[in-house]
Amino acid sequence: MLTAETLYNKLKNIKTACPGCDYSMSRCEEFVPLINKINDLKKEKNAVILVHSYVSPEIIYGIADYVGDSYGLSKDIKNSNADLIIFVAVKFMGETAKILNPEKEVLIPNELNGCSLADSVTAQDIVSLKKQYPDHAFVCYINTTAEVKAECDVCVTSSNVYNIIENYPSDKIYFLPDRLMGLNIIEEMKRRRVNKDIKLWTGTCYVHEAFKPEAINSFKLQYKNLKVLAHPECSPDVLHMSDFAGSTSQLLNYMKTASDSNNFLVLTECGIVSRIQVEMPQKKIIDLCNMCKYMKSNTLENVLRVLQNPSEKDKIKISEDIQKMALVCVEAMFKYSG
Ligand code: 13P
Ligand code: SF4
């Protein structure tokens, strides 16, 4: 049984400069009865709870069986023997779990069910693009719907995108939906001397496109020995000013071995800043908060509700045809990421 003291001792270092992101003892006292109820029900139902690192810390440190980035979580769920999957993240991640485990119930306790990238492109768009670009391989970011994956050849995540684009056996690539990540791919392929014709869709992540070089410049003036870390959904201008770019888990791993004498600016959703403050409290990190409203719409109350009494809206449903076609696209990611 988790106690409020234990939870508070974990979360008390979180300060991400936005309202609701700091943890008092009384907030932890409110969370703990919900956390303990969820953990009991989870055992009773042989459920597994997967949580993306952007989700609120009381969920990560209270009820998660696995926490990670999109790639790590899809690998974890591939090997799970639970009867029920609760995916605390955004809808496309729950769909990836269902594509990999069509026989299992996958529930999502997410109120908003969106993602600015996944919402920017439809399967019909891909069908039209394929007529326009019949010789291109269609490579989609994992932040896409199951229907879009079903129309694409291979999917990628931020942790494997460059290797998959390099290894994929086609010199004509249509990458979608993230235009900024696409521009970063074009630069990285030039750096690796890989010659591919790469066309791009127009989507962006509203959280990551908000980071601007001007702001980084002013932080560099204010903080000595500043190391800048960025997610590849940021613009190339931002990545040019960064010391390291990678997926959310790769950013956390970089921090683990980085020197404690530096200051750090971490340009991604503030869930990563919170995880660093909890797990590496000795690191000097700038309290910056760019919050993803979709990820943060998951709550303990909703996790408990979907465990006790899920509605039809909470269940991931994918038709058999789409699941089979999308599985080919996701399995191709595992094949080419190695
Ligand atoms: P990661 O795979 O790096 O966790 O990214 C997921 C995401 O949605 C970033 O905005
Ligand atoms: Fe989608 Fe951006 Fe939120 Fe990631 S941070 S889930 S890409 S809206």
Side-chain angles (χ1 to χ4, degrees), residues 67-176:
V67 186
D69 64 4
S70 318
Y71 186 66
L73 291 172
S74 14
K75 274 198 1 204
D76 291 333
I77 204 56
K78 220 177 155 205
N79 305 320
S80 162
N81 50 19
D83 295 321
L84 175 65
I85 298 167
I86 315 281
F87 215 121
V88 194
V90 280
K91 189 175 179 186
F92 74 82
M93 293 191 190
E95 286 189 342
T96 309
K98 185 76 179 173
I99 292 166
L100 289 162
N101 298 273
E103 73 296 347
K104 289 186 184 169
E105 183 89 274
V106 180
L107 300 173
I108 45 166
N110 186 307
E111 275 297 313
L112 293 180
N113 272 345
C115 160
S116 54
L117 284 171
D119 297 341
S120 74
V121 65
T122 65
Q124 195 46 51
D125 292 324
I126 316 295
V127 172
S128 314
L129 284 167
K130 284 207 262 193
K131 289 190 184 128
Q132 216 180 323
Y133 298 100
D135 299 329
H136 281 64
F138 278 73
V139 181
C140 63
Y141 191 27
I142 199 160
N143 298 38
T144 43
T145 62
E147 286 79 7
V148 165
K149 288 188 180 75
E151 293 296 335
C152 290
D153 298 295
V154 58
C155 89
V156 301
T157 75
S158 51
S159 71
N160 55 31
V161 52
Y162 301 133
N163 287 347
I164 292 181
I165 301 267
E166 180 173 357
N167 296 339
Y168 198 76
S170 170
D171 55 10
K172 290 189 172 68
I173 302 281
Y174 195 107
F175 178 74
L176 62 112

